[in-house]
């Protein structure tokens, strides 16, 4: 047994949809752990990115944005987000440099009790320095943050300082993950998210929340290729028609794009088979 002293810290990333949480996790961990999209609300599951620096393990929990729950699935997302907060020792609140302090941000802050908060102003590459300094002062005046960082998750600016601070807060503990693991999100879930992302992008507003991708079969072929069968579950047969599209064109294009993304993320050749299934009760079943 090794007698080296190890430390761990779990950090919850909180912020409005699209503020750059997934981008930051990917930048810190250096892999495509979280799905980044220009659309809001695509992260449904908690994603942990894990960084090992020296003898310290930094565990990032990328929560879906907190927002007013309206639909059943949204409530489910919020429940997940709150679970992520409970599990964290420090909360890093991401703030969009262009948007500044919004009512949603105030709501998010007031919802978190008894956890140290740090602020990370993200997307600083998009604004002028004067504006940034004014914003930082305004955030400081809120009086709730222990530290304020200015970062660009996309351009890898200011990230090192943030990592240094967070690892500096870690407490002595056995390592919670093996050192060669960078995420505990099962790769199947990642693959499902990739296909779901393409569905969202292609179907756009036609089917906002009511679909889900499930892995039916995952076969590692001898030549290293992956044979993957995924079911796209929808609530109504009319939704199935939308997903399939005229003469199957939509689903074919979704499959083509998802396959390319999967190959990039998994770094192997993928044979992807998509099926559309009507399952009226999947949302309800997930909630119980
Ligand atoms: P999330 O919903 O909070 O997880 O946000 P994402 O990480 O998916 O990012 C949403 C969008 O913002 C994507 O188009 C990102 O490329 C973009 N983005 C994230 N960080 C930055 C940044 O520092 N600068 C700029 N210009 N864009 C960013
Ligand atoms: Mg995200």
């Amino acid at each position: 047994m090794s007698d080296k002293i190890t430390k761990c810290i779990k950090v919850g990333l909180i912020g409005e949809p699209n503020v750059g949480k997934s981008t930051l996790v990917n930048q810190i961990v250096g892999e495509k752990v979280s799905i980044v999209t220009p659309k809001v609300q695509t992260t449904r599951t908690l994603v942990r990115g894990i960084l090992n620096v020296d003898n310290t393990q930094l565990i990032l929990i990328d929560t879906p944005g907190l927002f007013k729950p309206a639909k059943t699935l949204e409530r489910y997302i919020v429940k997940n987000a709150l679970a992520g907060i409970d599990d964290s020792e420090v909360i890093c609140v991401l703030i969009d440099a262009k948007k500044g302090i919004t009512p949603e941000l105030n709501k998010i802050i007031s919802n978190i009790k008894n956890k140290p908060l740090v602020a990370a102003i993200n997307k600083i590459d998009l604004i002028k320095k004067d504006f940034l300094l004014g914003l930082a002062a305004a955030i400081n005046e809120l009086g709730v943050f222990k530290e304020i960082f200015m970062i660009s998750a996309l351009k890898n600016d200011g990230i090192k300082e943030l990592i240094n601070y967070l690892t500096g807060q870690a407490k002595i503990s056995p390592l919670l993950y093996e050192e060669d693991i960078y995420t505990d999100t099962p790769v199947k879930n990642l693959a499902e998210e990739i296909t779901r992302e393409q569905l969202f992008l292609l179907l756009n507003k036609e089917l906002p929340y009511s679909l889900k991708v499930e892995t039916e079969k995952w076969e590692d072929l001898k030549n290293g290729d992956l044979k993957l069968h995924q079911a796209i579950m929808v609530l109504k047969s009319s939704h199935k028609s939308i997903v399939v599209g005229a003469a199957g064109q939509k689903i074919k294009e979704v499959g083509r794009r998802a396959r390319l993304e999967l190959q990039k993320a998994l770094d192997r050749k993928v044979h992807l088979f998509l099926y559309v299934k009507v399952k009226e009760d999947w949302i309800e079943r997930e909630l119980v």
Side-chain angles (χ1 to χ4, degrees):
M1 251 193 50
S2 148
D3 57 356
K4 70 179 179 190
I5 296 171
T6 56
K7 294 182 179 182
C8 292
I9 184 158
K10 288 191 228 166
V11 178
L13 294 176
I14 300 276
E16 291 179 61
N18 249 10
V19 70
K21 297 179 293 295
S22 302
T23 308
L24 180 62
V25 173
N26 291 338
Q27 188 65 262
I28 290 178
V29 178
E31 301 272 350
K32 196 177 179 186
V33 173
S34 222
I35 308 295
V36 182
T37 68
K39 308 235 169 209
V40 296
Q41 296 312 340
T42 51
T43 312
R44 257 185 67 216
T45 46
L46 296 177
V47 175
R48 287 163 200 258
I50 301 158
L51 178 73
N52 291 283
V53 213
D54 302 327
N55 292 331
T56 303
Q57 201 155 61
L58 174 62
I59 299 146
L60 297 164
I61 304 173
D62 171 17
T63 63
L66 288 180
F67 58 105
K68 193 167 146 272
K71 301 193 186 79
T72 342
L73 184 57
E74 289 175 3
R75 272 207 296 276
Y76 172 78
I77 295 173
V78 170
K79 212 171 85 187
N80 263 355
L82 294 170
I85 296 171
D86 279 350
D87 207 24
S88 322
E89 290 143 324
V90 175
I91 307 288
C92 177
V93 181
L94 263 77
I95 299 168
D96 190 311
K98 266 180 119 170
K99 286 198 198 157
I101 302 169
T102 60
E104 288 77 16
L105 176 69
N106 279 318
K107 212 186 301 163
I108 287 173
I109 296 169
S110 63
N111 263 302
I112 305 165
K113 304 256 154 42
N114 306 323
K115 299 268 175 179
L117 297 178
V118 299
I121 307 174
N122 188 34
K123 309 197 186 184
I124 60 167
D125 54 298
L126 298 179
I127 57 160
K128 293 229 163 69
K129 194 141 194 191
D130 289 353
F131 183 82
L132 177 60
L133 294 177
L135 176 59
I139 291 170
N140 189 36
E141 269 178 29
L142 295 174
V144 293
F145 295 108
K146 287 203 135 82
E147 294 282 336
I148 300 170
F149 295 89
M150 304 178 197
I151 64 169
S152 170
L154 192 66
K155 310 255 186 228
N156 198 7
D157 191 6
I159 307 296
K160 226 186 224 148
E161 289 78 2
L162 181 61
I163 293 176
N164 284 346
Y165 174 80
L166 294 173
T167 51
Q169 304 298 306
K171 300 210 170 64
I172 292 177
S173 143
L175 295 182
L176 299 175
Y177 296 89
E178 296 293 329
E179 278 164 280
D180 57 352
I181 286 179
Y182 59 85
T183 178
D184 75 349
T185 301
V187 69
K188 278 179 196 167
N189 292 5
L190 274 183
E192 288 162 6
E193 263 202 64
I194 285 173
T195 299
R196 199 165 55 83
E197 179 182 39
Q198 292 308 319
L199 281 160
F200 273 61
L201 291 173
L202 266 165
L203 296 168
N204 208 356
K205 293 187 185 77
E206 289 178 272
L207 268 190
Y209 294 112
S210 54
L211 63 80
K212 183 182 171 175
V213 178
E214 273 191 0
T215 305
E216 298 232 304
K217 201 160 129 198
W218 180 288
E219 210 181 328
D220 297 301
L221 302 181
K222 280 212 179 78
N223 65 359
D225 292 2
L226 168 67
K227 194 169 164 188
L228 178 60
H229 294 244
Q230 291 175 325
I232 299 163
M233 306 209 314
V234 294
L235 295 176
K236 295 182 190 152
S237 52
S238 59
H239 289 173
K240 179 171 175 172
S241 315
I242 295 171
V243 175
V244 172
Q249 282 308 306
K250 267 261 153 70
I251 187 81
K252 212 168 146 190
E253 183 60 13
V254 168
R256 193 184 68 79
R257 294 190 193 188
R259 182 172 50 78
L260 293 175
E261 285 300 314
L262 284 163
Q263 292 187 158
K264 252 193 280 169
L266 303 174
D267 200 23
R268 61 200 288 204
K269 193 166 177 197
V270 177
H271 308 273
L272 178 64
F273 300 86
L274 295 178
Y275 310 89
V276 187
K277 290 187 174 174
V278 181
K279 253 202 184 144
E280 291 174 11
D281 63 341
W282 70 261
I283 287 186
E284 295 308 326
R285 274 193 295 121
E286 285 226 342
L287 282 170
V288 294

